[in-house]
């Protein structure tokens, strides 16, 4: 395949201004892998990325998309942990919303038997973030109670699954009855309205210790403020994202009085998106956390990710579903219905 199709961002702006078009094939250099993309995860951050408001700005023009699954098409010199034809998933700098992508081998991971490629596109960034945050950073323990905000979203639903795998009790928040029903169906012990005013008393009523041990917060804003009141003494609060749009300010008196630990967590630091590129430094640690999670899925100790699929022809609707707060689990763009030259039927 000399050319392939993908979404292109030619100027900083609104995500609806992306175009789906033919793109020239990228060169492959040492230490890189060319992947035939079958599925690509859509994240909230795509809107920030194409607006030029994300921590990192790719050179224009570029293709957005940071997590994919597919098969290895070609290897650069020095790559040995995967082979041509292997089923893989990858965390990317960008480039995932296309039929083909070239990326560094250090963030390409084999997909084990028992995990379909349709699900694997939700793993390298979304489950990587959640696993690393709950296991490395918060050190969530069996029997602890975790409060998960935005729990029907892509990180949130993954956090419900991972927290259950770790043996925690899960209190999830979401804005609609339908989302709360989906959370109860997916392992949350309790699902509460995302109502910052009502939340502290509802949470305390469920917690004999007077609050939760860990908070996983990808939403920020008023829910973060409420979390300080939902927290038990000595609780750990994970600052993951600000989907609500407001970056909260912390009243440190509450942090002091309750012996709280507020833990910032940026998964990007571990996969090459940080101020300095540390992807090779953390390669083995990231591989290990992803392997823990994919092995649990393959053994059916943890459910496969909850996904909502759109063919790439419906990319506008797919991104709008995420941005419009209508998604449950991970929105995935499917490229696998497109025939490729050389594909067998
Ligand atoms: N720290 C890290 O390493 C890391 C890694 C990946 C992503 N992130 C960040 O985490 C955040 C969540 O990402 P995601 O992919 O899980 O997003 P998502 O799938 O869109 O879920 C976000 C959830 O936030 C809630 N929400 C509340 N107010 C919202 C608003 N004004 N607009 C949209 N959603 C709102 C929604 O739940 P309700 O409707 O139920 O309220 C929604 O389900 C983003 O800010 C992203 O940039 C951080």
């Amino acid at each position: 395949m000399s050319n392939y199709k993908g979404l292109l961002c030619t100027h900083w702006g609104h995500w609806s201004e992306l175009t789906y078009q033919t793109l020239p094939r990228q060169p492959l250099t040492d230490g890189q892998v060319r992947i035939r993309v079958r599925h690509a995860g859509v994240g909230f951050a795509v809107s920030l990325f194409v607006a030029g408001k994300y921590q990192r700005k790719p050179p224009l023009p570029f293709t957005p998309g940071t997590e994919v699954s597919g098969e290895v098409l070609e290897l650069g010199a020095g790559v040995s942990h995967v082979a041509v034809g292997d089923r893989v998933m990858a965390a990317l700098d960008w480039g995932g919303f296309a039929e083909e992508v070239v990326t560094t081998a250090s963030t390409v991971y084999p997909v084990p038997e028992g995990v379909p490629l349709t699900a694997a596109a939700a793993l390298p960034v979304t489950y990587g973030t959640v696993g690393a945050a709950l296991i490395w950073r918060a050190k969530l323990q069996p029997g602890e109670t975790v409060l998960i905000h935005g729990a029907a979203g892509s990180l949130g639903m993954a956090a419900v699954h991972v927290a259950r795998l770790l043996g925690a009790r899960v209190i999830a928040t979401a804005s609609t009855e339908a989302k709360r029903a989906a959370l109860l169906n997916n392992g949350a012990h309790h699902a509460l309205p995302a109502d910052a005013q009502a939340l502290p008393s509802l949470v305390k009523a469920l917690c004999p210790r007077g609050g939760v041990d860990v908070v996983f917060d990808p939403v920020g804003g008023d829910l973060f403020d409420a979390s300080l009141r939902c927290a038990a003494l000595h609780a750990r609060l994970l600052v993951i994202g600000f989907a609500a749009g407001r970056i909260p300010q912390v009243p440190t008196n509450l942090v002091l009085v309750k012996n709280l630990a507020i833990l910032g967590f940026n998964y990007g630091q571990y996969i090459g998106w940080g101020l300095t590129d540390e992807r090779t430094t953390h390669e083995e640690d990231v591989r290990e956390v992803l392997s823990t999670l994919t092995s649990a899925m393959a053994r059916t100790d943890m459910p496969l990710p909850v996904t909502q699929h759109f063919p790439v022809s419906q990319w506008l609707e797919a991104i709008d579903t995420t941005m419009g707060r209508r998604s449950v689990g991970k929105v995935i763009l499917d490229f696998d219905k497109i025939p490729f030259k050389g594909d067998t039927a």
Side-chain angles (χ1 to χ4, degrees):
M1 186 168 58
S2 54
N3 291 309
Y4 59 94
K5 291 192 93 173
L7 289 170
L8 196 67
C9 174
T10 54
H11 58 276
W12 306 119
H14 192 261
W15 52 265
S16 60
E17 294 158 25
L18 294 168
T19 50
Y20 187 60
Q21 61 182 75
T22 300
L23 302 170
R25 193 166 220 213
Q26 301 297 308
L28 185 78
T29 59
D30 294 357
Q32 291 188 318
V33 178
R34 188 186 307 281
I35 297 171
R36 173 179 297 173
V37 175
R38 298 295 184 178
H39 309 279
V42 177
F44 181 90
V46 66
S47 60
L48 304 174
F49 223 83
V50 302
K53 293 181 180 164
Y54 202 64
Q55 295 104 302
R56 303 176 308 142
K57 276 191 182 187
L60 290 168
F62 74 100
T63 293
T66 53
E67 62 185 332
V68 298
S69 62
E71 293 106 13
V72 175
L73 282 177
E74 193 182 355
L75 298 175
V79 182
S80 57
H81 76 290
V82 289
V84 170
D86 278 2
R87 296 174 346 119
V88 292
M89 57 191 185
L92 310 171
D93 290 338
W94 50 82
F97 292 167
E99 294 168 353
E100 187 179 304
V101 71
V102 168
T103 187
T104 50
S106 50
T107 55
V108 175
Y109 315 96
V111 177
E113 286 299 316
V115 178
L117 287 181
T118 46
L123 301 179
V125 175
T126 304
Y127 275 69
T129 300
V130 167
L134 290 177
I135 299 169
W136 299 346
R137 200 87 168 109
K139 299 183 170 51
L140 182 64
Q141 300 299 310
E144 287 192 317
T145 301
V146 57
L147 175 63
I148 299 171
H149 293 309
S154 69
L155 289 182
M157 191 65 91
V160 172
H161 285 180
V162 174
R164 286 300 307 261
L165 178 73
L166 297 173
R169 191 165 72 102
V170 173
I171 302 176
T173 72
S175 59
T176 68
E177 193 61 50
K179 287 185 179 185
R180 293 193 289 276
L183 286 163
L184 293 172
N185 280 335
N186 276 282
H189 295 90
H190 305 279
L192 300 177
D195 174 345
Q197 288 292 327
L199 208 56
S201 58
L202 293 173
V203 167
K204 282 176 188 167
L206 296 171
C207 297
R209 285 207 325 108
V212 298
D213 303 294
V214 171
V215 178
F216 181 91
D217 182 14
V219 179
D222 296 348
L223 283 181
F224 178 86
D225 299 343
S227 297
L228 293 169
R229 301 185 187 283
C230 297
L233 297 180
H234 311 290
R236 293 95 75 200
L237 285 76
L238 283 165
V239 177
I240 300 292
F242 311 107
R246 179 173 70 82
I247 298 175
Q249 304 296 306
V250 182
T252 47
N253 57 327
L254 274 182
V255 178
L256 181 152
V257 169
K258 295 176 84 171
N259 276 323
L260 302 178
I262 298 184
L263 308 170
F265 186 75
N266 175 17
Y267 180 65
Q269 191 63 41
Y270 303 96
I271 54 169
W273 303 357
L275 295 175
T276 53
D277 188 338
E278 297 179 1
R279 75 187 75 198
T280 51
T281 311
H282 302 290
E283 185 176 342
E284 287 313 313
D285 293 334
V286 172
R287 241 175 242 300
E288 188 182 323
V289 84
L290 288 172
S291 163
T292 300
L293 301 180
T294 51
S295 304
M297 285 173 198
R299 290 193 309 269
T300 69
D301 288 345
M302 177 163 72
L304 293 171
V306 175
T307 53
Q308 204 173 338
H309 289 260
F310 294 83
V312 64
S313 57
Q314 291 174 20
W315 63 270
L316 270 168
E317 198 182 331
I319 302 177
D320 191 51
T321 298
T322 295
M323 301 315 302
R325 237 165 136 170
R326 297 188 305 282
S327 53
V328 171
K330 185 82 194 170
V331 170
I332 305 272
L333 279 181
D334 293 334
F335 293 85
D336 62 342
K337 303 291 185 290
I338 300 163
F340 285 82
K341 196 175 162 192
D343 268 356
T344 48

